[in-house]
Every structure is written in structure tokens, then in C-alpha cells.
Amino acid sequence: MGKLGKKARKFAKKNLQSVLRQRRKNKAFLSKKKSFSRDDQRPGKDKLDDTLDHSKGRNTDVEDVGDTSLDAVFTKDDSDMFADISDSDGYLSEDSSCPHVVGSEIGKSLEGNKLFSSLSTQNEKIYKDLAMQKKKLNRLRKKDPEFSKFLKNYKGIENSQNGNMYSDEDEESKKVIHLVDNNEAAEDKGKLFTSSAINLWCQLVKEEHSSSAFVCLLNAYRAACHYGAESLVHQIQNSETFCSILMFVLSEADDIFRRQLQISLVNCKKETILELQNTSKWQTIKPFVKSYFRSTLFLLDQVADSDILNFALNRLRASLIFFAVFPSLLHRLIKTTVHLWATGGGILSSTSFQIIRDVAVLFSVDYFDTCIAKTFVAYMAQSRVSKILNNRHLLFLANCIVEICSLDVQNSSRKVLDSISQLSRILRWGLQTKKKEVLKKICSWEYANCIDLWVRFISVNIQDHDLQPLLFRIIQLINGVACMFTGSRYLPLRFKCIQWLNNLSTSSGIFIPVASYVLDVLEIDNVKEGGKLGNALDFSTVLRLPKSCLKSKTFQEECLSSAIEQLSFHFSQWSYHISFPELATIPLFYLRKFHDRTSAESLRRTVKRLIDQIEQNVNFVQKRRDEVVFSPKDHQSVETFLQLEKSGKNASFTQYYQSILERAALRSLYKENISSLKQKKSKRKRGQLIENSRDEGSGADPALNAAAANGTAGFKGNERRTPKVKRM
């Protein structure tokens, strides 16, 4: 028994302490968690916790960045607080004296809506039930003539239908019933905009400057912009009438507004419009401008034809100054144009960006941050893809954001610094945790394109502004990304890091060592002779390669070509510097080693040419350096070393680098052609599958087959085909 107790004590001494220690840890953690939840509402708690965290040395920046979006820096201050709180988008009240116009019922219906809103909820429900019963009686009267005769014989029933039985009720009930009659009359009448009426109104507006005719045109323009999007009372005769309405109002509206307000097109500023908003002239024309803007913005959201979109955007750009009085409509314009800029292409994206840039310039105080935030969020949304399909479009979007940010570098640099800090927190979190989702977030196009965007911004503005803090922060960030992903599968991302560092070095004039990153590629075991040819690779469209292509000849050639391009770029920046012989010493050693190791003749020939060019440039600089008489401490003389030869660009290495660039351009063009052919083949296969499915389902549902054959051209979500606008 004593022996057993001795063994038990020995076992407890060895193992029980760890168990108790773990229990104490769990208990402390649970009690801390309970006290935290209990003290959530304690005032000043956050400030106290932050102080304790810093005193204990905890790094709180790295804890809660997993689910943070990269555009959160720009969206935290940007919100759609300027919702459209103005009046409902209805028709303008027309003048009864205007020719070819039936008496307007829109104004009455709007008054009816106001009256309905003033009634109590209970009475409103009763009157709505009454209106529904009255509509049923009217339909029954139209269907059954005998029932109509029956109602005429019994006037009591007829009078009760007209509201005489409700004489004891208040006057509001009579008005409601009267408005129901008026609305039904408006639905039965329904205007039809004909070509003759539109031409007459256009003539009256042009020759006589008729306001009543212009109101009729604006109502017709609203009906055209809402074509197919809602059930309208007014109808358009044909496609020619539709085109005439859009073309005339879009072409002449801005001139009419300026003529009424007596302002010029050249020297008109935002302050001019703001001063006029309290005058009688502006109060008269304000409903016309508002209706025109509302209808055009609705048109931009509905139409899909690029010609109509471009023309409407250009006309809105001409009237952009009038948006100063309508903040809610200006926010709608920014939102719509940013969407068209990001998702469109070619001329449509360029036209949309011109409006965004003009808004940032004209309304710089209030809307500059909004323009940057909206464009950055849209750019990040386009970057959330697994593979880049349109690299040129993303490059265009990035250059547009850089151009807007360059309008106010001091204001933009604060946002850029916050964004780079957020990227750094995510990277630091990934280095500490090594979690799979964190690495996936860092090795993504969203993360890479964000870095690329700020590299472009710094490169464009660093010569004219003090952006040294941004420069050093982003260099540290890029070095961290390059050191994190060192495997063969991440070589495309690594080459992007090298390219970013080279661009920053060129624009800032600061030496950034990148040769070690390039030479590491030559040491990878996969880069050797052997293997199949493999599919064509384009490192500019991927960040992470599949394992199947790592031992192919195509991967080997692409790695070496990219390495030589980036190393030549790096050497070309310092080929005229006095320290070039020391800079090229170690790279020459590794290049010769790779040349001796590889047995592929094409690779040996390419590397041998680079070695010869570097050695030739080393001899050239060494020879000229031996002739100088100044010391290395004379920085001014060091900076002016070989500046004459550098401006002439006649050195051998400069010409070699130009040939490398030309060959790289040919390779990228070849890759684009291959990718376009693949996309065409995939579209052709998709079209064949659709045709086969149509043939198979032709007996099942003819309506669906006809709809699939016709498609929807013009308006988004429209079942009817939209007529295209003719060019003037």
C-alpha cells in the first residue's frame, strides 16, 4: 500500500501540476471573458483597454484584420447620406393652351396622393376599398349593357355610386372619390406622342422659345427615358419619334437653361449658380432642370446601348454646373458614372471618367473625397477575380484613379498612407499566424492591384511632392510580400514585386536592391532542362501557378525571360553610375554559374549575351572612372559622372535594354493574341451549346425560344426591343 501511494505521489507530481495549471489558465480566461462582457457598457473602457494592451506589449493592430476589406479605409467616411429626399419623379404640369395636348391629369393625381397621405390610416383603407368596388362596378357596366340600363333606371344606386350617399361624411371623402374618377379618366385617355406633335413642339421651342412646348417635350422625354421600365400612361408612336425626343432634348436642354438664366458656357462657375438659386429666374426654371436631370439619370441606369450612353453623358457633362443646386442628384450622377467607368470599356469608360474628373475639379471641396472613394471601391470590385482577363482595362482604371488623386496630392496622400498601413497590418498578421486564408488574401489580385495602384501614385508625384514616408512604407511592404512567397508557384507575384521596386527606384532616383530577388529565380530547382513543352504562360495575368506547369519548358523559358527583363531594367537605371562595377560583381558571379550549369542552348545563349553586355558596361565605366580626379566624398561630382553620355543614350547596354523591351512587347502581343483566340473559341463553344439547347427545347416552349433568339437590346430588363438613336 505504501508502495502504491509512492507511485501515485510520483505520478501526481509529474502530471497533475500541468493539469492544474491548464485548469487555472482556462478559469482565468473564462473569468476574463465574463468580466469583459459584463463591462462592455462601462464608459471609458476602450481607452483603458488600449492603455493596458500597450503596457503589456500586446500588438492589437494584428488581431482583427482578417475580415477587413481593403477598401474600408475609403468607405468609412463615405456613405449615401445624400439620398434623394426631394419630390417624387413625376410629370410636369402642362399648359392647356399648348397645341396637340390633352388636358393633363398628372397634377390632379399628385394632389390626390397628398390628400391620401393627409387622411388617417383607417379612413384611407376605407376609401381604397371604396375605390376598388367602384372600379369593379365600372368594369361590370362595360361588360354587361343590361346592367348599365338597370343602373340608369334606378338613380338611387347611380347616385350612391357617384358619392351622394356619403353626403354626411366630411369633404375629404368627396374629394377622394372625385380624384378616383379623375385618375380613371386619365388612365382611359392616355397620351400618345406622335411625330407631328414632337416636330411642332421642337419648332416652337427653337423659333419662339415656347415654355409650354418645352414642358411638353420634357414630359415626352421622361416617357422615353422610362420606356419599358414601368407601365406608363403616355405612349410613343414609333422608333423615329423616340429618337427625335431623345436627340432634341439632350442637344438643346443645356442651351435653353443657359438662355433662360442668361449665363455663358465659358466663364460659368459653381458660385454663379448658387447665387442665382434665390432669384425668380431660377425658381421658374428649376423644375425643368430637375426633370431633365432625373430623366437622364434614369436613362443611364436603364439603357445598354453604348452610343446612347456616350451621347447622354456628354450632354450631362455640358450641364454639370447646374448639379451644384441638387446635391442628391449629383451623388446619383457620381454613382452612375463610376459604375459605367468601371464596367464599361473604350469610349464609354473614358467619357464617364471625364465627368468624374470634372466633378472632382468643380466641386473639389465637397466631392473630391467622394470621387476617390467611389472609384477606388469600384476598382477593388473589378480586382476581386481569380484571373485577369482584361489587363488593359484594369491598367486604365488605375491610371484614372492616379490622375484624380494627383489633383490634390496632399489630401490624397493621407488616404494612401492609411491604405498602405492597412496592407501592412494584413501582411504582419499573415507573417505571425501563417493561416491559409490570410495567405490567400495577400496573394490575391485585390491585394496586388492595391499595391500597384499606390506604386503608380507615388511614382507619378514623388518628384514634385514630399512623399518619402509613403515611399519607405511601400518599399517595406513589397519586400515583405516578396520574402513571404518564395516558392516556384508564386514566381509571378515575385516578379511583380521586383517590377514595383524597379519602378519606384526609377521615379525616385533612390537605389533599391532587387538583384538578389531576381537571382533567386535562377537557383530554383525547377528551372532546368527537361519536361514537356507545356501551355503558354503569361505571368501578367496570374499570381499563383498550378503545380502541373512547374517542370515544363514553357515555364523555364518564361522564368528566364522575366528574370532577364527585370535584371536588365535594374542595371539600365545605374549603367552610367560610378559604382556600376561594384553593383554588377555578385550578379555576374551568379549568371556565370547558371550559364555553366544549364545545358539548354537557347538559355545559355540568352544568358551569355546578358553577361557580355554587363561586362562591356563594367569595362566602360571602369575606364572612365580611372580618368577622374575627384574623390568619392565629392558627391556633386559623383552625381554628374557620365551625365553627358547618359543623355545621349548611345552606350552599348542602353541599346541592349531597348532590344529587350522590344522583344518583351512582341511576347506580350503574342500572348494577347493567344488569349483572344481562346476566348473566341470558348464563346463559339458556348454559342453552339446554346443553339443545341434551343433546338432541343424548341418543342417544349416556343415563347422561350423566341425570347432567346431576339434577346434584349437597348434597355436593361426590357421585354420590348428599344429603338436605337440615330446620329445627327
Side-chain angles (χ1 to χ4, degrees):
M1 189 71 179
K3 192 174 182 182
L4 180 61
K6 185 177 180 181
K7 290 184 177 180
R9 287 194 299 271
K10 186 176 180 182
F11 176 82
K13 184 179 180 181
K14 184 177 180 181
N15 298 297
L16 192 58
Q17 290 182 358
S18 60
V19 176
L20 294 176
R21 193 184 306 115
Q22 186 66 30
R23 287 181 180 177
R24 286 195 298 271
K25 280 187 178 181
N26 295 336
K27 185 177 180 181
F29 175 75
L30 292 174
S31 61
K32 183 179 179 181
K33 189 174 182 181
K34 289 180 181 178
S35 63
F36 178 78
S37 61
R38 218 179 290 119
D39 297 337
D40 277 343
Q41 305 298 327
R42 182 162 51 90
K45 174 186 68 66
D46 295 336
K47 187 179 294 184
L48 179 61
D49 290 345
D50 292 342
T51 306
L52 291 175
D53 291 339
H54 286 295
S55 63
K56 293 178 182 179
R58 274 178 52 189
N59 189 1
T60 58
D61 293 339
V62 192
E63 290 187 357
D64 297 323
V65 296
D67 298 331
T68 305
S69 178
L70 295 180
D71 52 17
V73 176
F74 289 84
T75 56
K76 62 181 180 181
D77 296 328
D78 180 68
S79 60
D80 294 331
M81 58 181 296
F82 290 92
D84 198 358
I85 57 175
S86 52
D87 298 336
S88 60
D89 186 11
Y91 290 94
L92 299 171
S93 58
E94 299 178 359
D95 189 0
S96 59
S97 62
C98 186
H100 294 272
V101 179
V102 185
S104 175
E105 301 292 336
I106 302 298
K108 296 180 181 178
S109 65
L110 290 176
E111 293 176 2
N113 291 334
K114 293 180 182 178
L115 183 59
F116 271 116
S117 62
S118 65
L119 297 174
S120 62
T121 307
Q122 184 178 1
N123 291 337
E124 182 179 353
K125 183 178 180 181
I126 295 173
Y127 297 141
K128 285 183 179 180
D129 293 339
L130 176 63
M132 291 176 62
Q133 295 296 331
K134 187 177 183 299
K135 287 183 179 180
K136 291 180 180 179
L137 285 175
N138 289 335
R139 286 197 295 268
L140 187 58
R141 288 176 61 185
K142 292 179 181 179
K143 291 181 179 179
D144 193 355
E146 294 182 0
F147 181 71
S148 180
K149 292 179 181 180
F150 173 77
L151 289 178
K152 289 181 180 179
N153 294 332
Y154 292 89
K155 294 183 179 180
I157 300 177
E158 182 73 11
N159 291 333
S160 67
Q161 186 178 351
N162 289 330
N164 293 336
M165 292 183 65
Y166 297 90
S167 57
D168 295 335
E169 299 291 332
D170 55 4
E171 293 296 327
E172 291 180 348
S173 62
K174 297 180 181 179
K175 293 180 181 179
V176 170
I177 299 171
H178 181 64
L179 286 168
V180 171
D181 294 336
N182 290 336
N183 290 333
E184 289 178 355
E187 291 176 2
D188 294 338
K189 289 178 181 178
K191 296 178 186 177
L192 176 65
F193 295 111
T194 61
S195 298
S196 58
I198 298 300
N199 293 333
L200 178 60
W201 292 337
C202 294
Q203 185 178 0
L204 291 174
V205 171
K206 277 188 175 181
E207 297 178 357
E208 302 179 8
H209 306 309
S210 174
S211 299
S212 59
F214 185 59
V215 171
C216 297
L217 279 173
L218 287 177
N219 286 334
Y221 178 67
R222 184 193 182 280
C225 292
H226 288 72
Y227 179 86
E230 60 184 38
S231 57
L232 297 174
V233 176
H234 304 322
Q235 300 296 327
I236 300 174
Q237 185 179 16
N238 49 33
S239 61
E240 287 76 10
T241 309
F242 177 87
C243 297
S244 300
I245 295 170
L246 288 185
M247 292 301 298
F248 182 83
V249 176
L250 287 172
S251 302
E252 302 295 334
D254 182 69
D255 295 335
I256 294 172
F257 299 151
R258 293 180 183 274
R259 183 172 61 246
Q260 293 289 334
L261 296 173
Q262 296 179 355
I263 57 177
S264 62
L265 183 62
V266 182
N267 297 322
C268 184
K269 298 181 180 180
K270 178 182 67 174
E271 292 75 16
T272 306
I273 303 298
L274 294 177
E275 291 174 0
L276 288 173
Q277 65 177 339
N278 295 325
T279 61
S280 58
K281 292 181 181 179
W282 175 253
Q283 297 300 327
T284 303
I285 203 171
K286 179 181 178 180
F288 304 158
V289 181
K290 191 175 184 180
S291 176
Y292 168 68
F293 284 162
R294 283 176 176 274
S295 300
T296 309
L297 290 174
F298 191 87
L299 177 71
L300 294 177
D301 290 333
Q302 295 297 319
V303 78
D305 186 81
S306 58
D307 293 334
I308 301 178
L309 288 172
N310 283 321
F311 185 69
L313 287 172
N314 281 319
R315 298 314 303 159
L316 276 181
R317 187 187 177 196
S319 305
L320 192 60
I321 197 68
F322 295 107
F323 278 94
V325 190
F326 307 105
S328 59
L329 295 181
L330 183 56
H331 274 263
R332 281 182 58 187
L333 176 66
I334 296 173
K335 184 178 179 180
T336 302
T337 50
V338 166
H339 174 72
L340 295 175
W341 163 76
T343 58
I347 301 176
L348 180 59
S349 294
S350 301
T351 307
S352 303
F353 173 69
Q354 289 174 0
I355 293 181
I356 300 170
R357 183 183 56 191
D358 290 348
V359 170
V361 173
L362 291 174
F363 311 98
S364 57
V365 178
D366 303 321
Y367 293 93
F368 180 77
D369 292 340
T370 303
C371 292
I372 295 179
K374 296 289 186 183
T375 51
F376 182 78
V377 170
Y379 177 69
M380 288 290 100
Q382 294 295 313
S383 301
R384 295 187 184 104
V385 292
S386 58
K387 185 177 181 180
I388 297 297
L389 299 177
N390 194 347
N391 202 11
R392 289 186 177 181
H393 182 62
L394 278 175
L395 180 60
F396 168 76
L397 298 182
N399 291 332
C400 290
I401 298 177
V402 170
E403 185 175 349
I404 294 178
C405 293
S406 301
L407 297 174
D408 189 355
V409 177
Q410 185 177 3
N411 188 15
S412 303
S413 59
R414 291 192 292 268
K415 292 284 187 181
V416 175
L417 183 59
D418 293 340
S419 180
I420 295 175
S421 301
Q422 185 183 15
L423 295 173
S424 301
R425 286 194 295 270
I426 295 174
L427 179 65
R428 187 162 58 250
W429 183 47
L431 289 171
Q432 292 183 3
T433 59
K434 299 292 184 180
K435 292 183 178 179
K436 185 178 180 180
E437 59 271 12
V438 189
L439 299 179
K440 187 176 180 181
K441 187 181 184 67
I442 298 173
C443 185
S444 64
W445 279 112
E446 186 180 7
Y447 196 93
N449 285 339
C450 190
I451 297 177
D452 182 76
L453 177 64
W454 303 139
V455 167
R456 293 179 184 277
F457 171 76
I458 295 171
S459 300
V460 169
N461 298 286
I462 195 169
Q463 292 294 335
D464 301 325
H465 301 84
D466 183 17
L467 299 179
Q468 298 298 326
L470 293 180
L471 177 65
F472 294 132
R473 291 289 295 273
I474 202 166
I475 289 175
Q476 292 176 351
L477 174 65
I478 296 171
N479 284 328
V481 174
C483 294
M484 174 177 281
F485 301 97
T486 57
S488 303
R489 301 184 64 184
Y490 298 98
L491 280 178
L493 178 60
R494 193 176 182 86
F495 279 120
K496 282 191 175 295
C497 295
I498 298 170
Q499 185 179 4
W500 292 332
L501 294 175
N502 278 331
N503 292 334
L504 291 172
S505 178
T506 304
S507 59
S508 62
I510 297 175
F511 175 75
I512 302 175
V514 299
S516 59
Y517 295 143
V518 182
L519 296 174
D520 287 344
V521 178
L522 305 179
E523 298 296 322
I524 296 177
D525 295 335
N526 299 91
V527 183
K528 60 184 179 180
E529 186 183 8
K532 298 180 181 180
L533 182 61
N535 297 326
L537 296 175
D538 188 3
F539 283 179
S540 62
T541 60
V542 292
L543 295 176
R544 184 170 176 263
L545 295 171
K547 292 182 179 179
S548 59
C549 69
L550 295 182
K551 294 185 178 181
S552 63
K553 293 182 179 179
T554 306
F555 171 74
Q556 179 185 9
E557 294 174 357
E558 185 68 22
C559 287
L560 186 62
S561 300
S562 301
I564 289 177
E565 287 174 13
Q566 297 302 326
L567 194 59
S568 302
F569 184 22
H570 176 63
F571 283 151
S572 66
Q573 302 174 45
W574 311 102
S575 59
Y576 296 95
H577 199 268
I578 197 170
S579 61
F580 184 80
E582 288 76 16
L583 173 64
T585 301
I586 296 177
L588 277 175
F589 171 78
Y590 279 95
L591 288 173
R592 293 191 187 102
K593 183 178 178 182
F594 177 80
H595 179 265
D596 296 337
R597 187 177 71 248
T598 185
S599 58
E601 187 60 31
S602 59
L603 301 182
R604 288 172 57 88
R605 187 167 56 251
T606 304
V607 174
K608 185 64 169 64
R609 187 186 177 196
L610 176 60
I611 293 172
D612 293 341
Q613 293 295 328
I614 295 174
E615 290 178 344
Q616 187 175 352
N617 196 78
V618 167
N619 295 331
F620 168 72
V621 174
Q622 186 69 44
K623 181 179 179 181
R624 299 298 299 270
R625 192 170 70 174
D626 294 340
E627 298 175 358
V628 301
V629 294
F630 56 83
S631 65
K633 295 182 179 181
D634 190 356
H635 298 289
Q636 184 176 1
S637 300
V638 169
E639 293 296 330
T640 58
F641 179 74
L642 294 180
Q643 290 300 312
L644 183 61
E645 290 79 358
K646 185 176 181 180
S647 60
K649 296 182 179 180
N650 295 323
S652 176
F653 195 86
T654 304
Q655 296 177 1
Y656 166 75
Y657 179 62
Q658 291 297 327
S659 65
I660 292 292
L661 291 180
E662 293 175 0
R663 189 167 58 185
L666 291 176
R667 285 197 308 122
S668 62
L669 182 62
Y670 173 73
K671 293 173 185 176
E672 288 181 1
N673 293 334
I674 291 178
S675 62
S676 62
L677 288 175
K678 288 182 179 179
Q679 291 178 5
K680 288 180 180 179
K681 289 181 179 179
S682 62
K683 289 181 180 179
R684 196 179 300 117
K685 290 181 180 179
R686 199 181 305 120
Q688 291 177 357
L689 291 175
I690 293 174
E691 289 180 0
N692 294 335
S693 63
R694 287 176 185 171
D695 295 336
E696 292 175 359
S698 59
D701 195 348
L704 287 177
N705 294 332
N710 291 332
T712 55
F715 285 79
K716 303 171 186 176
N718 183 16
E719 295 179 356
R720 293 174 288 180
R721 294 185 66 84
T722 304
K724 293 186 177 181
V725 174
K726 295 181 179 179
R727 294 182 178 272
M728 297 295 287

Coordinates of all heavy atoms in Angstrom, one line a residue, residues 6 58 88 122 163 186 212 243 279 292 319 382 384 450 462 475 486 495 540 557 567 588 621 645 664 682 712 716:
K6 N 3.3 5.8 -3.0 CA 4.5 6.4 -3.5 C 4.5 6.6 -5.0 O 4.8 7.7 -5.5 CB 5.8 5.6 -3.1 CG 7.1 6.2 -3.5 CD 8.2 5.3 -3.0 CE 9.6 5.9 -3.4 NZ 10.7 5.1 -2.9
R58 N 1.2 44.1 -26.0 CA 0.4 43.4 -26.9 C 0.2 44.2 -28.2 O 0.1 45.4 -28.2 CB -1.0 43.1 -26.4 CG -1.1 41.9 -25.6 CD -2.5 41.7 -25.0 NE -3.5 41.8 -26.0 CZ -4.8 41.9 -25.8 NH1 -5.3 41.9 -24.5 NH2 -5.7 42.0 -26.8
S88 N -41.2 63.4 -55.6 CA -41.3 62.2 -56.5 C -41.1 62.6 -57.9 O -41.4 63.7 -58.3 CB -42.6 61.4 -56.3 OG -43.7 62.3 -56.7
Q122 N -57.1 54.5 -41.0 CA -58.3 53.8 -41.1 C -59.2 54.3 -42.2 O -59.8 53.5 -43.0 CB -59.1 53.9 -39.8 CG -60.4 53.1 -39.7 CD -61.0 53.3 -38.3 OE1 -60.5 54.0 -37.5 NE2 -62.1 52.6 -38.1
G163 N -71.4 59.1 -55.2 CA -70.9 59.6 -53.9 C -72.0 60.4 -53.2 O -71.8 61.0 -52.1
A186 N -57.9 59.7 -66.5 CA -56.5 59.8 -67.1 C -56.0 58.5 -67.6 O -55.3 58.5 -68.7 CB -55.6 60.3 -66.0
S212 N -44.3 76.5 -72.8 CA -45.3 75.4 -72.7 C -44.9 74.2 -73.6 O -45.1 73.0 -73.2 CB -46.6 75.9 -73.1 OG -46.6 76.5 -74.4
C243 N -36.5 58.5 -81.1 CA -35.1 59.1 -81.4 C -35.2 60.6 -81.4 O -34.3 61.3 -80.9 CB -34.6 58.6 -82.8 SG -34.4 56.8 -82.8
T279 N -33.2 83.6 -57.0 CA -33.8 84.6 -57.9 C -35.1 83.9 -58.5 O -35.3 82.7 -58.5 CB -32.8 85.0 -59.0 OG1 -32.5 83.8 -59.8 CG2 -31.6 85.6 -58.5
Y292 N -35.2 67.2 -66.2 CA -34.3 66.8 -67.2 C -33.2 65.9 -66.6 O -32.8 64.9 -67.1 CB -33.7 68.0 -67.9 CG -32.5 67.8 -68.7 CD1 -32.6 67.1 -69.9 CD2 -31.2 68.2 -68.3 CE1 -31.5 66.8 -70.7 CE2 -30.1 68.0 -69.1 CZ -30.2 67.3 -70.3 OH -29.1 67.1 -71.1
S319 N -23.9 70.2 -68.8 CA -24.7 70.9 -67.8 C -24.3 70.6 -66.4 O -25.1 70.7 -65.5 CB -26.2 70.4 -68.0 OG -26.6 70.6 -69.3
Q382 N -13.5 45.3 -59.3 CA -13.1 44.7 -60.5 C -11.8 43.8 -60.3 O -11.5 43.0 -61.1 CB -12.7 45.8 -61.5 CG -13.9 46.6 -62.0 CD -14.9 45.8 -62.8 OE1 -14.5 45.0 -63.7 NE2 -16.2 45.9 -62.4
R384 N -11.4 41.7 -57.7 CA -11.8 40.5 -57.0 C -12.0 39.4 -57.9 O -13.2 38.9 -58.0 CB -12.9 40.8 -56.0 CG -12.6 41.8 -55.0 CD -13.8 41.9 -54.0 NE -13.5 42.9 -53.0 CZ -14.1 44.1 -53.0 NH1 -15.0 44.4 -53.9 NH2 -13.9 45.0 -52.1
C450 N -4.0 46.8 -55.4 CA -3.9 47.9 -54.4 C -2.5 48.4 -54.3 O -2.3 49.6 -54.3 CB -4.5 47.5 -53.1 SG -4.8 48.8 -51.9
I462 N 6.2 61.8 -56.9 CA 7.3 61.9 -55.9 C 8.3 62.9 -56.3 O 9.0 63.5 -55.4 CB 8.0 60.5 -55.7 CG1 8.9 60.5 -54.5 CG2 8.8 60.1 -57.0 CD1 9.4 59.2 -54.1
I475 N 7.9 50.4 -49.8 CA 9.1 49.5 -50.1 C 9.2 48.4 -49.1 O 9.4 47.2 -49.4 CB 10.4 50.4 -50.1 CG1 10.4 51.3 -51.4 CG2 11.6 49.5 -50.1 CD1 11.6 52.2 -51.4
T486 N 8.1 32.6 -51.5 CA 9.4 32.2 -52.2 C 9.3 31.0 -53.0 O 10.3 30.6 -53.6 CB 10.5 32.0 -51.1 OG1 10.1 31.0 -50.2 CG2 10.7 33.3 -50.3
F495 N 7.8 38.4 -59.3 CA 8.3 39.3 -60.4 C 7.5 40.6 -60.4 O 8.1 41.6 -60.8 CB 8.1 38.6 -61.8 CG 9.1 37.6 -62.1 CD1 8.9 36.3 -62.4 CD2 10.5 38.1 -62.2 CE1 9.9 35.4 -62.7 CE2 11.5 37.2 -62.6 CZ 11.2 35.8 -62.8
S540 N 1.7 38.0 -66.3 CA 1.0 39.3 -66.0 C -0.5 39.0 -65.7 O -1.1 39.9 -65.2 CB 1.1 40.2 -67.2 OG 0.5 39.7 -68.3
E557 N 11.4 28.8 -69.8 CA 11.7 30.0 -70.7 C 11.0 31.3 -70.1 O 11.7 32.3 -70.2 CB 11.2 29.7 -72.1 CG 12.0 28.5 -72.7 CD 11.4 28.2 -74.1 OE1 10.3 28.8 -74.4 OE2 11.9 27.3 -74.7
L567 N 16.2 42.2 -64.5 CA 17.6 42.5 -64.2 C 18.2 43.5 -65.1 O 18.9 44.4 -64.7 CB 18.4 41.2 -64.2 CG 19.8 41.2 -63.6 CD1 19.7 41.6 -62.1 CD2 20.5 39.9 -63.8
L588 N 27.0 39.1 -61.7 CA 27.8 38.4 -62.8 C 28.3 37.0 -62.3 O 28.3 36.0 -63.1 CB 29.1 39.2 -63.1 CG 28.8 40.4 -64.1 CD1 30.1 41.2 -64.3 CD2 28.4 39.8 -65.5
V621 N 32.6 51.8 -67.7 CA 32.5 52.7 -66.6 C 33.9 52.7 -65.8 O 34.3 53.7 -65.4 CB 31.4 52.2 -65.6 CG1 31.4 53.0 -64.3 CG2 30.0 52.4 -66.3
E645 N 27.0 61.3 -71.5 CA 26.8 60.0 -72.1 C 25.4 59.5 -71.9 O 24.7 58.9 -72.7 CB 27.8 59.0 -71.7 CG 29.2 59.3 -72.2 CD 29.9 60.3 -71.4 OE1 29.3 60.9 -70.4 OE2 31.1 60.6 -71.7
A664 N 10.1 42.0 -75.4 CA 9.1 41.8 -74.4 C 7.7 42.3 -75.0 O 6.7 41.6 -74.7 CB 9.4 42.6 -73.1
S682 N -14.0 29.7 -76.8 CA -14.9 29.4 -75.7 C -16.3 30.0 -76.0 O -17.3 29.4 -75.7 CB -14.3 30.0 -74.4 OG -14.2 31.4 -74.4
T712 N -32.4 40.9 -75.6 CA -32.8 42.2 -75.1 C -31.8 43.2 -75.6 O -30.7 43.3 -75.0 CB -33.0 42.2 -73.6 OG1 -31.7 41.8 -73.1 CG2 -34.1 41.3 -73.2
K716 N -32.0 47.7 -70.1 CA -31.8 46.5 -69.3 C -33.1 46.0 -68.7 O -33.9 46.8 -68.2 CB -30.9 46.9 -68.1 CG -29.6 47.5 -68.6 CD -28.8 48.1 -67.4 CE -27.5 48.8 -67.9 NZ -26.8 49.5 -66.9

